[in-house]
Amino acid sequence: MTTDPIRLSADLIRCPSVTPEEGGALVLLEGLLTEAGFTCTRVDRNGTPNLYARWGAKGAAKSFGFNGHTDVVPVGDAAAWTHDPFGAEVVDGVMWGRGATDMKTAVAAFAAAAVDFVTETPPDGAVILAITGDEEGPGRDGTRALLDWMKAEGEAMSVCLVGEPTCPNEMGEMMKIGRRGSLSFYIEAEGVQGHAAYPHRAKNPLHALVDLLGRMTAEPLDHGTDHFQPSSLQITTIDCGNPANNVIPAKARATVNIRFNDAHTGEGLIAWAEAMASEIAAETGIRIALNPDISGESFVTPPGPFVDLVAKSVEAETGRAPELSTSGGTSDARFVKDHCPVVEFGLVGATMHQVDERVPLDQIEALTRVYARILKDYFA
């Protein structure tokens, strides 16, 4: 490895790029990539930092893309960390710091692999790095902004690999070929406040809300599909802000989150919930507002040449044939899938977002080798 991914990882971790701060991470990468012959463009939007870097011809028939993020979640209680969360200290072959698994090391790995590849064996095509500073934040002006800019400028990736941590316990055991969709309902039920001893003079919104939640959870949404586990509906909060035991409240609120597979769409689930809410409102006279928010639709990149290429490269470098999974939460792959085929492969994510986030150095080296092999075989 001519470009040292471990040193680059450490340099990136030392950049305090807690969302939405750039922290110097993209500046560092832009310098490295420009020196290697990449054409770099900052695609900042609404104060969110983003970097687009391309080596090779614009519009090349074979354009391999990497996507990742340099922003990190807050460290929490810094005093609870064993080592400085922005120190990138290495102890007994392990690097400590915020972003060590999610995902500055993966960005360092694919940047190092890309730089070495285009320098040592220039391909007939293009290598693209689309890096955002907004993945851990609202997700409105990060990868979305990059893709909007690419469309406007005629830039395109043929395929894309997102470097999110995908392995539960061992390096190479899992890659993601899709993700479940995510839909939240912020439900508000409004009735008439009154004395608990005189319910006929009030309309209790909690009864209507509990009825709605009961109907929503009464039956499974599905039993899974070919590439997905069953969809999951979880009630995450119920509240009416009422400290009194003898008062029927005027309003009650609840939040529901659904992680749904490809048996559903966000709009279809909204229509399903609205039909139940309307029925209960008609029965009770309680006004019910659902206020839905779709943060991503489900998607899958079916097994085929691209999935096979990544899986074979992972197995060749780690000795493990990765499980093709769609588990977990959402990622920026949910935006990339509208642009080109996308899969995800990265490190073991056991400590991501935790105090004492850390990664063994040999995992960084292994990931860099995987990415390098993918590039080599893609352009072979």
Side-chain angles (χ1 to χ4, degrees), residues 10-348:
D11 289 344
L12 289 173
I13 288 171
R14 293 186 184 112
C15 297
S17 52
V18 177
T19 315
E21 297 300 321
E22 187 271 332
L26 294 183
V27 173
L28 173 65
L29 289 166
E30 183 174 1
L32 171 72
L33 295 166
T34 299
E35 185 176 348
F38 284 76
T39 299
C40 293
T41 306
R42 284 291 293 268
V43 189
D44 297 6
R45 188 168 79 181
N46 293 330
T48 295
N50 302 298
L51 176 66
Y52 180 85
R54 171 177 42 80
W55 185 96
K58 176 180 176 179
K62 297 189 77 171
S63 298
F64 190 97
F66 288 101
N67 171 255
H69 64 92
T70 53
D71 64 316
V72 296
V73 297
V75 301
D77 181 6
W81 285 68
T82 304
H83 302 283
D84 180 358
F86 295 114
E89 295 181 49
V90 175
V91 180
D92 296 330
V94 176
M95 184 178 293
W96 299 65
R98 179 58 84 220
T101 59
D102 188 15
M103 58 170 285
K104 287 183 172 180
T105 46
V107 172
F110 68 59
V115 166
D116 287 357
F117 178 66
V118 301
T119 301
E120 297 167 4
T121 54
D124 181 14
V127 177
I128 292 167
L129 278 61
I131 307 170
T132 180
D134 184 43
E135 198 274 346
E136 301 290 7
R140 292 187 294 267
D141 297 304
T143 294
R144 280 179 169 178
L146 284 161
L147 294 168
D148 289 346
W149 177 87
M150 290 170 66
K151 183 177 181 180
E153 296 295 323
E155 300 274 358
M157 300 178 288
S158 305
V159 294
C160 183
L161 194 157
V162 179
E164 286 287 338
T166 57
C167 301
N169 300 297
E170 301 291 338
M171 192 65 188
E173 67 181 325
M174 182 179 289
M175 58 183 282
K176 299 293 177 71
I177 62 168
R179 293 278 187 164
R180 295 177 296 176
S182 180
L183 165 64
S184 291
F185 289 105
Y186 301 95
I187 307 170
E188 182 175 282
E190 183 175 4
V192 177
Q193 181 174 320
H195 197 298
Y198 303 92
H200 58 287
R201 296 176 181 172
K203 290 184 179 179
N204 195 328
L206 278 166
H207 292 182
L209 180 60
V210 169
D211 187 9
L212 174 60
L213 297 176
R215 296 189 196 187
M216 293 177 79
T217 57
E219 298 291 338
L221 290 170
D222 56 71
H223 299 284
T225 65
D226 288 346
H227 296 292
F228 288 88
Q229 63 195 72
S231 299
S232 169
L233 185 153
Q234 298 297 321
I235 302 167
T236 57
T237 183
I238 303 173
D239 182 50
C240 68
N242 179 20
N245 66 358
N246 60 351
V247 175
I248 295 169
K251 293 182 179 180
R253 299 173 179 84
T255 302
V256 169
N257 180 256
I258 303 177
R259 300 301 172 112
F260 59 94
N261 60 34
D262 56 351
H264 308 276
T265 64
E267 291 299 328
L269 288 168
I270 290 171
W272 165 78
E274 285 180 339
M276 283 189 287
S278 295
E279 184 176 342
I280 293 171
E283 293 169 358
T284 63
I286 302 296
R287 184 189 69 83
I288 301 175
L290 291 178
N291 304 311
D293 176 40
I294 304 171
S295 61
E297 295 284 350
S298 67
F299 73 93
V300 65
T301 300
F306 180 42
V307 171
D308 292 346
L309 167 70
V310 175
K312 288 177 181 177
S313 297
V314 171
E315 185 174 9
E317 294 297 338
T318 69
R320 294 183 178 88
E323 175 187 349
L324 308 183
S325 174
T326 57
S327 62
T330 58
S331 75
D332 277 1
R334 72 189 189 274
F335 306 130
V336 180
K337 55 90 175 171
D338 293 326
H339 177 87
C340 67
V342 59
V343 299
E344 300 173 63
F345 179 74
L347 297 171
V348 174

